[in-house]
Coordinates of all heavy atoms in Angstrom, one line a residue:
M1 N 8.0 19.3 6.9 CA 9.3 18.7 6.7 C 10.2 19.8 6.0 O 9.7 20.6 5.3 CB 9.2 17.5 5.7 CG 8.7 16.3 6.3 SD 8.9 14.9 5.1 CE 8.0 13.7 6.0
V2 N 11.4 19.6 6.3 CA 12.4 20.5 5.7 C 12.5 20.2 4.2 O 12.5 19.0 3.8 CB 13.8 20.3 6.4 CG1 14.8 21.2 5.8 CG2 13.6 20.6 7.9
H3 N 12.7 21.2 3.4 CA 12.8 21.1 2.0 C 13.8 20.1 1.5 O 13.6 19.3 0.7 CB 13.0 22.5 1.3 CG 13.3 22.4 -0.1 ND1 12.3 22.2 -1.1 CD2 14.4 22.5 -0.9 CE1 12.8 22.2 -2.3 NE2 14.1 22.4 -2.2
E4 N 15.0 20.2 2.2 CA 16.1 19.3 1.8 C 15.8 17.8 2.0 O 16.2 16.9 1.3 CB 17.4 19.7 2.5 CG 18.0 21.0 2.1 CD 17.3 22.2 2.7 OE1 16.6 22.0 3.7 OE2 17.5 23.3 2.2
H5 N 15.0 17.5 3.1 CA 14.6 16.2 3.4 C 13.7 15.6 2.3 O 13.8 14.5 1.9 CB 14.0 16.0 4.8 CG 14.9 16.4 5.9 ND1 14.5 16.8 7.1 CD2 16.3 16.6 5.9 CE1 15.5 17.1 7.9 NE2 16.6 17.0 7.2
V6 N 12.8 16.5 1.9 CA 11.8 16.1 0.9 C 12.5 15.8 -0.4 O 12.3 14.8 -1.1 CB 10.7 17.1 0.7 CG1 9.8 16.8 -0.5 CG2 9.9 17.3 2.0
V7 N 13.4 16.7 -0.8 CA 14.2 16.5 -2.1 C 15.0 15.2 -2.0 O 15.0 14.4 -2.9 CB 15.1 17.7 -2.3 CG1 16.0 17.4 -3.5 CG2 14.2 18.9 -2.6
A8 N 15.6 15.0 -0.8 CA 16.4 13.7 -0.7 C 15.5 12.5 -0.7 O 15.9 11.5 -1.2 CB 17.2 13.8 0.7
G9 N 14.3 12.6 -0.1 CA 13.4 11.5 -0.1 C 12.9 11.2 -1.6 O 12.8 10.0 -1.9
I10 N 12.7 12.2 -2.3 CA 12.3 12.0 -3.7 C 13.4 11.4 -4.5 O 13.2 10.4 -5.2 CB 11.9 13.4 -4.4 CG1 10.6 13.9 -3.8 CG2 11.8 13.2 -5.9 CD1 10.3 15.4 -4.2
A11 N 14.6 11.8 -4.3 CA 15.8 11.3 -5.0 C 16.0 9.8 -4.6 O 16.2 9.0 -5.5 CB 17.0 12.1 -4.7
T12 N 15.9 9.5 -3.4 CA 16.1 8.1 -2.9 C 15.0 7.2 -3.5 O 15.3 6.1 -3.9 CB 16.0 8.1 -1.4 OG1 17.1 8.9 -0.9 CG2 16.3 6.6 -0.9
A13 N 13.7 7.7 -3.4 CA 12.6 6.9 -3.9 C 12.8 6.7 -5.4 O 12.5 5.6 -5.9 CB 11.3 7.5 -3.6
L14 N 13.2 7.7 -6.2 CA 13.4 7.5 -7.6 C 14.5 6.6 -7.9 O 14.4 5.7 -8.8 CB 13.7 8.9 -8.2 CG 12.5 9.8 -8.4 CD1 12.9 11.2 -8.9 CD2 11.4 9.2 -9.3
R15 N 15.6 6.6 -7.2 CA 16.7 5.7 -7.4 C 16.2 4.3 -7.2 O 16.7 3.3 -7.8 CB 17.9 6.0 -6.5 CG 18.8 7.1 -7.1 CD 20.1 7.1 -6.3 NE 19.9 7.3 -4.9 CZ 19.8 8.5 -4.2 NH1 19.9 9.6 -4.9 NH2 19.7 8.5 -2.9
A16 N 15.3 4.1 -6.2 CA 14.9 2.7 -5.9 C 13.7 2.3 -6.8 O 13.4 1.1 -6.8 CB 14.4 2.7 -4.4
G17 N 13.2 3.2 -7.6 CA 12.1 2.9 -8.5 C 10.8 2.9 -7.9 O 9.8 2.4 -8.4
A18 N 10.7 3.5 -6.7 CA 9.4 3.6 -6.0 C 8.8 4.9 -6.3 O 9.3 6.0 -5.9 CB 9.6 3.5 -4.5
L19 N 7.7 4.9 -7.1 CA 7.1 6.2 -7.6 C 5.8 6.5 -6.9 O 4.9 6.9 -7.6 CB 6.9 6.1 -9.1 CG 8.2 5.7 -9.9 CD1 7.9 5.5 -11.4 CD2 9.3 6.7 -9.7
T20 N 5.8 6.3 -5.6 CA 4.5 6.6 -4.9 C 4.8 7.7 -3.8 O 6.0 7.8 -3.4 CB 4.0 5.3 -4.2 OG1 4.9 4.8 -3.3 CG2 3.6 4.3 -5.2
A21 N 3.8 8.4 -3.5 CA 4.0 9.4 -2.5 C 4.3 8.9 -1.1 O 5.1 9.5 -0.3 CB 2.7 10.2 -2.3
D22 N 3.8 7.7 -0.8 CA 4.1 7.1 0.5 C 5.6 6.7 0.6 O 6.2 6.9 1.7 CB 3.2 5.9 0.9 CG 3.3 4.7 0.0 OD1 3.9 4.9 -1.1 OD2 2.9 3.7 0.4
A23 N 6.2 6.3 -0.5 CA 7.6 6.0 -0.5 C 8.5 7.2 -0.3 O 9.4 7.2 0.5 CB 8.0 5.3 -1.8
V24 N 8.1 8.3 -1.0 CA 8.8 9.6 -0.8 C 8.7 10.1 0.6 O 9.7 10.5 1.2 CB 8.3 10.6 -1.8 CG1 8.8 12.0 -1.5 CG2 8.5 10.2 -3.3
A25 N 7.5 10.0 1.2 CA 7.3 10.5 2.6 C 8.1 9.7 3.5 O 8.7 10.3 4.4 CB 5.8 10.4 2.9
L26 N 8.1 8.4 3.4 CA 8.9 7.6 4.3 C 10.4 7.8 4.2 O 11.1 8.0 5.2 CB 8.6 6.1 4.0 CG 9.2 5.1 5.0 CD1 8.7 5.4 6.4 CD2 8.8 3.7 4.6
E27 N 10.9 7.9 2.9 CA 12.3 8.2 2.7 C 12.7 9.6 3.2 O 13.8 9.8 3.8 CB 12.7 8.1 1.2 CG 12.5 6.7 0.7 CD 13.4 5.6 1.4 OE1 14.5 6.0 1.9 OE2 12.9 4.5 1.6
A28 N 11.8 10.6 3.0 CA 12.1 11.9 3.5 C 12.1 11.9 5.1 O 13.0 12.6 5.7 CB 11.0 12.9 3.0
R29 N 11.2 11.2 5.7 CA 11.2 11.1 7.1 C 12.5 10.4 7.6 O 13.1 10.9 8.6 CB 10.0 10.3 7.6 CG 9.8 10.4 9.1 CD 8.5 9.7 9.5 NE 7.4 10.1 8.7 CZ 6.6 9.2 8.0 NH1 6.9 8.0 8.0 NH2 5.6 9.7 7.3
K30 N 13.0 9.4 6.9 CA 14.3 8.8 7.3 C 15.4 9.8 7.2 O 16.3 9.8 8.1 CB 14.6 7.6 6.4 CG 13.7 6.4 6.7 CD 14.1 5.3 5.7 CE 13.2 4.1 5.9 NZ 13.6 3.0 4.9
W31 N 15.5 10.6 6.2 CA 16.5 11.6 6.1 C 16.4 12.6 7.2 O 17.4 13.1 7.8 CB 16.4 12.4 4.7 CG 17.0 11.6 3.6 CD1 16.4 10.8 2.7 CD2 18.4 11.6 3.2 NE1 17.3 10.3 1.8 CE2 18.5 10.7 2.1 CE3 19.5 12.2 3.8 CZ2 19.8 10.5 1.5 CZ3 20.8 12.0 3.2 CH2 20.9 11.1 2.0
G32 N 15.2 13.0 7.6 CA 15.0 13.9 8.7 C 15.5 13.3 10.0 O 16.1 14.0 10.8
E33 N 15.2 12.0 10.2 CA 15.7 11.4 11.5 C 17.2 11.3 11.5 O 17.8 11.4 12.5 CB 15.0 10.0 11.6 CG 13.5 10.1 11.9 CD 12.9 8.7 11.9 OE1 13.5 7.7 11.5 OE2 11.7 8.6 12.2
A34 N 17.8 11.0 10.3 CA 19.2 10.9 10.3 C 19.9 12.3 10.5 O 20.9 12.3 11.2 CB 19.6 10.4 8.9
D35 N 19.2 13.3 10.1 CA 19.7 14.7 10.3 C 19.7 15.1 11.7 O 20.6 15.8 12.2 CB 18.9 15.7 9.5 CG 19.8 16.4 8.4 OD1 20.9 16.0 8.2 OD2 19.2 17.4 7.9
Q36 N 18.7 14.6 12.5 CA 18.5 15.0 13.9 C 19.4 14.1 14.8 O 19.4 14.3 16.0 CB 17.1 14.8 14.3 CG 16.2 15.8 13.6 CD 14.7 15.5 13.9 OE1 14.4 14.5 14.6 NE2 13.8 16.3 13.4
G37 N 20.2 13.2 14.2 CA 21.1 12.4 15.0 C 20.4 11.3 15.7 O 20.9 10.7 16.6
A38 N 19.2 11.0 15.2 CA 18.4 9.9 15.8 C 19.0 8.6 15.5 O 19.8 8.4 14.5 CB 17.0 9.9 15.4
E39 N 18.8 7.6 16.3 CA 19.2 6.2 16.0 C 18.5 5.7 14.8 O 17.7 6.5 14.2 CB 19.0 5.3 17.2 CG 19.8 5.7 18.4 CD 19.5 4.8 19.6 OE1 18.9 3.7 19.4 OE2 20.0 5.2 20.7
Q40 N 18.6 4.5 14.5 CA 17.9 3.9 13.3 C 16.4 4.2 13.4 O 15.9 4.2 14.5 CB 18.1 2.4 13.3 CG 19.5 2.0 12.8 CD 19.7 2.4 11.3 OE1 20.2 3.5 11.1 NE2 19.3 1.6 10.4
P41 N 15.8 4.5 12.3 CA 14.3 4.7 12.4 C 13.6 3.6 13.0 O 14.0 2.4 12.9 CB 14.0 4.9 10.9 CG 15.2 5.2 10.2 CD 16.3 4.6 11.0
A42 N 12.4 3.9 13.6 CA 11.6 2.9 14.3 C 11.0 1.8 13.3 O 10.7 0.8 13.7 CB 10.5 3.6 15.0
D43 N 11.0 2.1 12.0 CA 10.4 1.2 11.1 C 11.4 0.3 10.5 O 11.2 -0.3 9.5 CB 9.7 2.0 10.0 CG 10.7 2.7 9.1 OD1 11.8 2.9 9.5 OD2 10.3 3.1 8.0
Q44 N 12.5 0.0 11.2 CA 13.5 -0.8 10.7 C 13.0 -2.2 10.4 O 13.5 -2.9 9.5 CB 14.7 -0.9 11.6 CG 15.9 -1.7 11.1 CD 17.1 -1.5 12.0 OE1 17.1 -0.7 13.0 NE2 18.1 -2.3 11.8
D45 N 12.0 -2.7 11.2 CA 11.5 -4.0 11.0 C 10.3 -4.0 10.1 O 9.6 -5.1 9.9 CB 11.1 -4.6 12.4 CG 12.3 -4.8 13.3 OD1 13.4 -5.1 12.8 OD2 12.1 -4.7 14.5
A46 N 10.0 -2.9 9.5 CA 8.8 -2.9 8.6 C 9.1 -3.7 7.3 O 10.2 -3.9 6.9 CB 8.5 -1.4 8.2
P47 N 8.0 -4.1 6.7 CA 8.2 -4.9 5.4 C 8.9 -4.1 4.4 O 8.6 -2.9 4.2 CB 6.8 -5.2 5.0 CG 5.9 -5.0 6.2 CD 6.6 -4.0 7.0
R48 N 9.9 -4.7 3.7 CA 10.7 -4.0 2.7 C 10.7 -4.9 1.5 O 10.7 -6.1 1.6 CB 12.1 -3.8 3.2 CG 12.2 -2.9 4.5 CD 13.6 -2.8 5.0 NE 14.4 -1.9 4.2 CZ 14.5 -0.6 4.3 NH1 13.7 0.0 5.1 NH2 15.3 0.1 3.5
R49 N 10.9 -4.2 0.3 CA 11.0 -5.0 -0.9 C 12.2 -4.5 -1.7 O 12.5 -3.3 -1.6 CB 9.7 -4.9 -1.7 CG 9.4 -3.5 -2.2 CD 8.1 -3.5 -3.1 NE 7.7 -2.2 -3.4 CZ 8.1 -1.6 -4.5 NH1 8.9 -2.2 -5.4 NH2 7.7 -0.3 -4.8
R50 N 12.9 -5.4 -2.3 CA 14.1 -5.1 -3.1 C 13.6 -4.7 -4.5 O 12.7 -5.3 -5.1 CB 15.0 -6.3 -3.2 CG 16.3 -5.9 -3.9 CD 17.4 -7.0 -3.6 NE 17.8 -7.0 -2.2 CZ 18.7 -6.1 -1.7 NH1 19.1 -5.1 -2.4 NH2 19.1 -6.2 -0.4
V51 N 14.2 -3.6 -5.0 CA 13.9 -3.1 -6.3 C 15.1 -3.2 -7.1 O 16.2 -3.4 -6.6 CB 13.2 -1.7 -6.3 CG1 11.9 -1.8 -5.6 CG2 14.1 -0.8 -5.6
D52 N 15.0 -2.9 -8.4 CA 16.1 -2.9 -9.3 C 17.2 -1.9 -8.8 O 16.9 -0.9 -8.3 CB 15.7 -2.5 -10.7 CG 14.8 -3.6 -11.4 OD1 14.9 -4.7 -11.0 OD2 14.1 -3.2 -12.3
G53 N 18.4 -2.3 -8.9 CA 19.5 -1.5 -8.5 C 19.9 -1.8 -7.1 O 20.9 -1.3 -6.5
G54 N 19.3 -2.8 -6.4 CA 19.7 -3.3 -5.1 C 19.1 -2.5 -4.0 O 19.4 -2.8 -2.8
A55 N 18.4 -1.4 -4.2 CA 17.9 -0.6 -3.1 C 16.7 -1.3 -2.5 O 16.0 -2.0 -3.2 CB 17.6 0.8 -3.6
T56 N 16.4 -1.0 -1.3 CA 15.2 -1.5 -0.7 C 14.3 -0.3 -0.3 O 14.8 0.7 0.1 CB 15.5 -2.4 0.6 OG1 16.2 -1.6 1.5 CG2 16.2 -3.6 0.2
V57 N 13.0 -0.5 -0.4 CA 12.1 0.5 -0.1 C 11.0 -0.1 0.8 O 10.5 -1.2 0.6 CB 11.4 1.0 -1.4 CG1 10.3 2.0 -1.1 CG2 12.4 1.6 -2.4
T58 N 10.7 0.7 1.8 CA 9.7 0.3 2.8 C 8.3 0.8 2.3 O 8.2 2.0 2.0 CB 10.0 0.8 4.2 OG1 11.2 0.4 4.6 CG2 8.9 0.4 5.2
S59 N 7.4 -0.1 2.2 CA 6.0 0.3 1.8 C 5.3 0.9 3.0 O 5.2 0.2 4.0 CB 5.2 -0.9 1.2 OG 3.9 -0.5 1.1
L60 N 4.8 2.1 2.9 CA 4.2 2.7 4.1 C 2.8 2.0 4.3 O 2.5 1.8 5.5 CB 3.9 4.2 3.8 CG 3.4 5.0 4.9 CD1 4.3 4.9 6.1 CD2 3.3 6.5 4.5
T61 N 2.2 1.6 3.3 CA 0.9 0.8 3.4 C 1.2 -0.5 4.2 O 0.4 -0.8 5.1 CB 0.3 0.6 2.1 OG1 0.0 1.8 1.4 CG2 -1.1 -0.2 2.2
E62 N 2.2 -1.2 3.7 CA 2.5 -2.5 4.4 C 2.9 -2.2 5.9 O 2.6 -3.0 6.8 CB 3.6 -3.2 3.7 CG 3.1 -3.8 2.3 CD 4.2 -4.5 1.6 OE1 5.3 -4.6 2.1 OE2 4.0 -4.8 0.4
R63 N 3.6 -1.2 6.1 CA 4.0 -0.8 7.5 C 2.8 -0.5 8.3 O 2.8 -1.0 9.5 CB 5.0 0.4 7.4 CG 5.4 0.9 8.7 CD 6.4 2.0 8.5 NE 6.7 2.7 9.8 CZ 6.5 3.9 10.0 NH1 6.2 4.7 9.0 NH2 6.7 4.5 11.2
R64 N 1.9 0.2 7.8 CA 0.7 0.5 8.6 C -0.1 -0.8 8.9 O -0.6 -1.0 10.0 CB -0.2 1.5 7.8 CG 0.3 2.9 7.8 CD -0.5 3.8 7.0 NE 0.0 5.1 6.9 CZ -0.2 6.0 6.0 NH1 -0.9 5.6 4.9 NH2 0.3 7.2 6.0
L65 N -0.3 -1.6 7.8 CA -1.0 -2.9 8.0 C -0.4 -3.8 9.0 O -1.0 -4.6 9.7 CB -1.2 -3.5 6.6 CG -2.2 -2.8 5.7 CD1 -2.2 -3.5 4.3 CD2 -3.6 -2.7 6.3
A66 N 1.0 -3.8 9.0 CA 1.7 -4.7 9.9 C 1.4 -4.3 11.4 O 1.5 -5.2 12.3 CB 3.2 -4.7 9.6
A67 N 1.1 -3.1 11.6 CA 0.8 -2.6 13.0 C -0.6 -2.9 13.5 O -0.9 -2.8 14.6 CB 1.1 -1.1 13.1
L68 N -1.5 -3.3 12.6 CA -2.9 -3.5 12.9 C -3.0 -4.9 13.5 O -2.3 -5.9 13.0 CB -3.8 -3.4 11.7 CG -3.9 -2.0 11.1 CD1 -4.7 -2.0 9.8 CD2 -4.5 -1.0 12.1
P69 N -4.0 -5.1 14.4 CA -4.2 -6.5 14.9 C -4.9 -7.3 13.8 O -5.5 -6.7 12.9 CB -5.2 -6.3 16.1 CG -5.8 -4.9 15.8 CD -4.8 -4.1 15.1
P70 N -4.8 -8.6 13.9 CA -5.5 -9.4 12.8 C -7.0 -9.2 12.9 O -7.6 -9.0 13.9 CB -5.2 -10.9 13.2 CG -4.5 -10.8 14.5 CD -4.2 -9.4 14.9
D71 N -7.6 -9.3 11.7 CA -9.1 -9.1 11.6 C -9.8 -10.4 11.7 O -9.6 -11.3 10.8 CB -9.4 -8.4 10.2 CG -10.8 -8.0 10.1 OD1 -11.6 -8.2 11.0 OD2 -11.1 -7.4 9.0
P72 N -10.6 -10.6 12.7 CA -11.3 -11.9 12.9 C -12.5 -12.1 12.1 O -13.1 -13.2 12.1 CB -11.6 -11.9 14.4 CG -11.9 -10.4 14.7 CD -10.9 -9.7 13.8
R73 N -12.9 -11.0 11.4 CA -14.2 -11.2 10.6 C -13.9 -12.1 9.4 O -12.9 -12.1 8.8 CB -14.6 -9.8 10.1 CG -15.0 -8.8 11.2 CD -15.3 -7.5 10.7 NE -14.1 -6.9 10.0 CZ -14.1 -5.7 9.5 NH1 -15.2 -5.0 9.4 NH2 -13.0 -5.2 8.9
P74 N -15.0 -12.8 9.0 CA -14.8 -13.7 7.8 C -14.7 -12.8 6.5 O -15.2 -11.6 6.5 CB -16.1 -14.5 7.8 CG -17.1 -13.7 8.5 CD -16.3 -12.9 9.6
L75 N -14.1 -13.3 5.5 CA -14.0 -12.6 4.2 C -15.4 -12.4 3.6 O -16.3 -13.3 3.8 CB -13.1 -13.3 3.3 CG -11.6 -13.4 3.6 CD1 -10.9 -14.3 2.7 CD2 -11.1 -12.0 3.6
P76 N -15.6 -11.3 3.0 CA -16.9 -11.1 2.4 C -17.2 -12.1 1.2 O -16.2 -12.6 0.6 CB -16.9 -9.7 1.8 CG -15.5 -9.3 1.8 CD -14.7 -10.2 2.8
S77 N -18.4 -12.4 1.0 CA -18.8 -13.3 0.0 C -19.9 -12.7 -0.9 O -20.8 -12.0 -0.4 CB -19.3 -14.6 0.6 OG -19.8 -15.5 -0.4
V78 N -19.8 -13.0 -2.1 CA -20.9 -12.5 -3.1 C -21.8 -13.7 -3.5 O -22.5 -13.6 -4.5 CB -20.2 -11.8 -4.3 CG1 -19.6 -10.5 -3.9 CG2 -19.3 -12.7 -5.0
A79 N -21.7 -14.8 -2.8 CA -22.5 -16.0 -3.2 C -24.0 -15.8 -3.2 O -24.7 -16.3 -4.1 CB -22.1 -17.2 -2.3
V80 N -24.5 -14.9 -2.4 CA -25.9 -14.6 -2.3 C -26.4 -14.0 -3.6 O -27.5 -14.1 -4.0 CB -26.3 -13.8 -1.1 CG1 -26.1 -14.6 0.2 CG2 -25.6 -12.5 -1.1
Y81 N -25.5 -13.3 -4.3 CA -25.9 -12.6 -5.5 C -26.1 -13.6 -6.7 O -26.8 -13.3 -7.6 CB -24.8 -11.6 -5.9 CG -24.8 -10.4 -5.0 CD1 -23.8 -10.3 -4.0 CD2 -25.8 -9.5 -5.0 CE1 -23.8 -9.3 -3.1 CE2 -25.8 -8.4 -4.1 CZ -24.8 -8.3 -3.1 OH -24.8 -7.3 -2.2
D82 N -25.6 -14.8 -6.5 CA -25.8 -15.9 -7.5 C -27.3 -16.2 -7.6 O -27.8 -16.6 -8.6 CB -25.0 -17.1 -7.3 CG -23.5 -16.9 -7.6 OD1 -23.2 -15.9 -8.3 OD2 -22.7 -17.7 -7.0
Q83 N -28.0 -16.0 -6.5 CA -29.4 -16.3 -6.5 C -30.2 -15.3 -7.4 O -31.2 -15.7 -8.0 CB -30.0 -16.1 -5.1 CG -29.5 -17.1 -4.1 CD -29.9 -16.7 -2.7 OE1 -30.7 -15.9 -2.4 NE2 -29.4 -17.4 -1.7
L84 N -29.7 -14.2 -7.7 CA -30.3 -13.2 -8.5 C -30.2 -13.6 -10.0 O -31.0 -13.2 -10.8 CB -29.7 -11.8 -8.4 CG -29.8 -11.2 -7.0 CD1 -29.0 -9.9 -7.0 CD2 -31.2 -11.0 -6.6
L85 N -29.3 -14.5 -10.3 CA -29.2 -14.9 -11.7 C -30.4 -15.7 -12.2 O -30.7 -15.7 -13.4 CB -27.9 -15.8 -11.9 CG -26.6 -15.1 -11.7 CD1 -25.5 -16.1 -11.8 CD2 -26.4 -14.0 -12.7
Q86 N -31.1 -16.3 -11.3 CA -32.3 -17.1 -11.8 C -33.4 -16.1 -12.2 O -34.4 -16.5 -12.8 CB -32.8 -18.0 -10.7 CG -33.3 -17.3 -9.4 CD -33.6 -18.3 -8.3 OE1 -33.9 -19.5 -8.6 NE2 -33.7 -17.9 -7.1
F87 N -33.3 -14.9 -11.8 CA -34.4 -13.9 -12.1 C -34.0 -13.0 -13.3 O -34.6 -12.0 -13.6 CB -34.7 -13.0 -10.9 CG -35.1 -13.7 -9.7 CD1 -34.4 -13.8 -8.6 CD2 -36.4 -14.3 -9.7 CE1 -34.8 -14.5 -7.5 CE2 -36.8 -15.0 -8.6 CZ -36.1 -15.1 -7.5
R88 N -32.9 -13.4 -14.0 CA -32.4 -12.7 -15.1 C -33.5 -12.5 -16.2 O -34.2 -13.5 -16.5 CB -31.2 -13.4 -15.7 CG -30.5 -12.6 -16.8 CD -29.3 -13.2 -17.2 NE -29.4 -14.6 -17.3 CZ -28.4 -15.4 -17.6 NH1 -27.2 -15.0 -17.8 NH2 -28.6 -16.7 -17.7
R89 N -33.7 -11.4 -16.7 CA -34.8 -11.1 -17.7 C -34.4 -11.7 -19.0 O -33.3 -11.7 -19.4 CB -35.0 -9.6 -17.9 CG -35.6 -8.9 -16.7 CD -35.9 -7.5 -17.1 NE -36.7 -6.9 -16.1 CZ -37.1 -5.7 -16.1 NH1 -36.8 -4.9 -17.2 NH2 -37.8 -5.2 -15.1
R90 N -35.4 -12.2 -19.7 CA -35.2 -12.8 -21.0 C -35.6 -11.7 -22.0 O -36.6 -10.9 -21.8 CB -36.1 -14.0 -21.2 CG -35.9 -15.1 -20.2 CD -34.8 -16.0 -20.7 NE -34.6 -17.2 -19.8 CZ -33.5 -17.5 -19.3 NH1 -32.4 -16.9 -19.6 NH2 -33.4 -18.5 -18.5
P91 N -34.9 -11.6 -23.1 CA -35.4 -10.6 -24.1 C -36.8 -10.9 -24.6 O -37.2 -12.0 -24.7 CB -34.3 -10.8 -25.3 CG -33.2 -11.5 -24.7 CD -33.7 -12.3 -23.5
A92 N -37.5 -9.8 -25.0 CA -38.9 -10.0 -25.4 C -39.0 -10.8 -26.7 O -40.0 -11.4 -27.0 CB -39.5 -8.6 -25.6
D93 N -38.0 -10.8 -27.6 CA -38.1 -11.5 -28.9 C -37.7 -13.0 -28.7 O -37.7 -13.7 -29.7 CB -37.2 -10.8 -29.9 CG -35.7 -10.8 -29.5 OD1 -35.4 -11.4 -28.4 OD2 -34.9 -10.3 -30.3
G94 N -37.4 -13.5 -27.5 CA -37.2 -14.9 -27.3 C -35.8 -15.3 -27.4 O -35.4 -16.5 -27.2
Q95 N -34.9 -14.4 -27.8 CA -33.4 -14.8 -28.0 C -32.8 -14.7 -26.6 O -33.2 -14.0 -25.7 CB -32.7 -13.8 -28.9 CG -33.3 -13.8 -30.3 CD -32.5 -12.8 -31.1 OE1 -31.7 -12.0 -30.6 NE2 -32.8 -12.8 -32.4
T96 N -31.8 -15.6 -26.4 CA -31.1 -15.6 -25.1 C -29.7 -15.1 -25.2 O -29.2 -15.0 -26.3 CB -31.0 -17.1 -24.6 OG1 -30.3 -17.9 -25.6 CG2 -32.3 -17.6 -24.2

């Protein structure tokens, strides 16, 4: 990326209160696309959140996750580990 785009991305992210590298990268990319005369960035429909000061910041993580297909797998469960509680060792002196 061009130095000026990175600096502008940092400044935009700081003004919005977004202190993450993905926010800086996304904002710098937007500045680069604007400089090249491109139309609106392709991530215009990406999830955005409003921060103090009225600025909106697009989360790169949320943008990436929005492009993924839904995961059909069941959520992981730790219920089987409850079975291990019955094998919990008792102290040798008889105290619990």
Side-chain angles (χ1 to χ4, degrees):
M1 284 188 188
V2 179
H3 173 76
E4 289 80 17
H5 298 161
V6 175
V7 172
I10 291 170
T12 303
L14 285 175
R15 275 194 306 272
L19 305 177
T20 61
D22 62 342
V24 172
L26 189 59
E27 295 301 325
R29 194 173 309 120
K30 287 180 183 179
W31 279 96
E33 289 173 354
D35 240 12
Q36 294 173 356
E39 294 180 14
Q40 284 296 92
D43 68 342
Q44 185 172 352
D45 296 330
R48 300 175 73 82
R49 64 180 174 90
R50 185 164 291 284
V51 294
D52 293 336
T56 56
V57 176
T58 303
S59 167
L60 189 56
T61 302
E62 290 176 6
R63 178 176 167 232
R64 288 177 181 153
L65 291 175
L68 294 175
D71 189 358
R73 298 177 294 179
L75 291 174
S77 172
V78 293
V80 294
Y81 293 103
D82 288 341
Q83 296 173 8
L84 297 175
L85 294 176
Q86 65 183 342
F87 300 111
R88 186 173 42 184
R89 289 187 174 182
R90 304 271 185 232
D93 61 1
Q95 296 178 353
T96 56

